[in-house]
Amino acid sequence: MAENKKTYDLECVQEGFANGVAPGFPLSDKQKEKMIDKAEKAYGKFLDALGCDWRNDPNSNDTPRRVAKAYVNDLWAGRYTAMTPITSFPSDGYDGIVIERNIPLTSMCSHHHQTIGGVVHVGYIVGENGRVIGLSKLNRVVEHFGRRGAIQEQLTSAIHNAVDKICENNLGVIITVVATHNCVSCRGVKHRGAAMVTTKASGVFRHNGNDARQEFFNSLKINNGGHQI
Ligand SMILES: [Zn+2]
């Protein structure tokens, strides 16, 4: 089999939840426009409640629309826009570990609606006569689940389950997420620089001290031209 394009159902939480997809997913451009119009009005009321005279403030008079657009088109885009089909290729006898590290992550905490920023490291091992997926598809999986509300632990599981599904017949999948949460640095305890690290592993990566898991974490330490790991 040569190149193969496939669409998968990768969702794992209830529709409508901040970390799930919106009802009616995926939304058409027209539906998104309607949603932006509604959210714009509601955000204007939110600013009214906060005592902000946004209508007369030259810096803020278009802010409700800016915020509504940012949610629908960027911050929560994964709730409204479907992922492109996944491309996979024959592994041609390669049976080693495949790792993509430092995939940029931008997300938003479901609890406080503050942004989360960090990186995701993905590893998997192809099964016998298995298939490898186009590398950028791993980035797309991270974008799809990152661009919505998130609890980092559940986000790690969602990315893991998606990679496990699309890398059919794999021998194991491991996901590590390293992220800082603005709800920790800007509010509440107000501590800057604290990073949260979560790892979800399956198959040959499942147990502490085994070779595959060790190889994955060792690969994250290899010099990669000065990028932060
Ligand atoms: Zn939070």
Side-chain angles (χ1 to χ4, degrees):
M1 281 188 292
E3 181 184 320
N4 185 24
K5 272 183 195 287
K6 227 169 151 182
T7 307
Y8 298 82
D9 178 15
L10 303 173
E11 301 306 324
C12 44
V13 302
Q14 193 173 315
E15 186 182 281
F17 283 10
N19 57 345
V21 296
F25 171 90
L27 269 55
S28 66
D29 288 348
K30 218 174 167 182
Q31 287 171 314
K32 285 182 200 170
E33 273 306 313
K34 245 181 158 175
M35 182 175 269
I36 288 168
D37 289 344
K38 261 174 104 175
E40 175 188 351
K41 288 189 184 80
Y43 198 78
K45 284 189 182 150
F46 179 73
L47 291 180
D48 289 340
L50 291 173
C52 176
D53 184 13
W54 58 274
R55 289 175 190 82
N56 294 309
D57 177 347
N59 293 310
S60 302
N61 59 15
D62 204 25
T63 293
R65 184 150 194 90
R66 284 192 199 101
V67 173
K69 280 171 81 173
Y71 268 81
V72 174
N73 296 333
D74 300 302
L75 298 167
W76 281 12
R79 305 184 72 246
Y80 310 118
T81 307
M83 221 168 32
T84 48
I86 301 292
T87 320
S88 69
F89 306 88
S91 61
D92 288 336
Y94 181 75
D95 59 1
I97 190 169
V98 178
I99 296 174
E100 188 179 9
R101 60 188 188 181
N102 297 327
I103 300 172
L105 169 72
T106 303
S107 192
M108 181 184 275
C109 137
S110 286
H111 297 151
H112 304 98
H113 286 198
Q114 297 287 308
T115 50
I116 298 170
V119 290
V120 180
H121 310 297
V122 177
Y124 69 95
I125 294 183
V126 186
E128 212 180 323
N129 299 320
R131 301 181 71 86
V132 290
I133 63 165
L135 194 59
S136 67
K137 301 305 171 197
L138 298 175
N139 301 63
R140 292 201 186 284
V141 167
V142 171
E143 277 291 296
H144 185 65
F145 289 101
R147 295 290 177 172
R148 51 175 91 179
I151 305 302
Q152 187 173 325
E153 295 88 334
Q154 194 277 327
L155 172 63
T156 311
S157 286
I159 295 170
H160 173 277
N161 294 345
V163 174
D164 186 37
K165 226 175 197 177
I166 63 184
C167 296
E168 292 174 11
N169 304 318
N170 69 75
L171 300 181
V173 171
I174 187 163
I175 309 295
T176 292
V177 179
V178 185
T180 56
H181 295 233
N182 271 335
C183 63
V184 175
S185 52
C186 299
R187 54 155 295 286
V189 72
K190 302 182 192 72
H191 278 182
R192 290 209 166 271
M196 182 174 183
V197 182
T198 44
T199 294
K200 165 106 177 159
S202 60
V204 294
F205 296 105
R206 187 76 187 93
H207 303 292
N208 279 322
N210 72 22
D211 290 347
R213 191 179 179 98
Q214 207 49 51
E215 188 180 347
F216 176 74
F217 286 116
N218 287 344
S219 295
L220 300 187
K221 291 182 208 151
I222 294 170
N223 183 293
N224 65 342
H227 294 296
Q228 198 188 348
I229 296 178

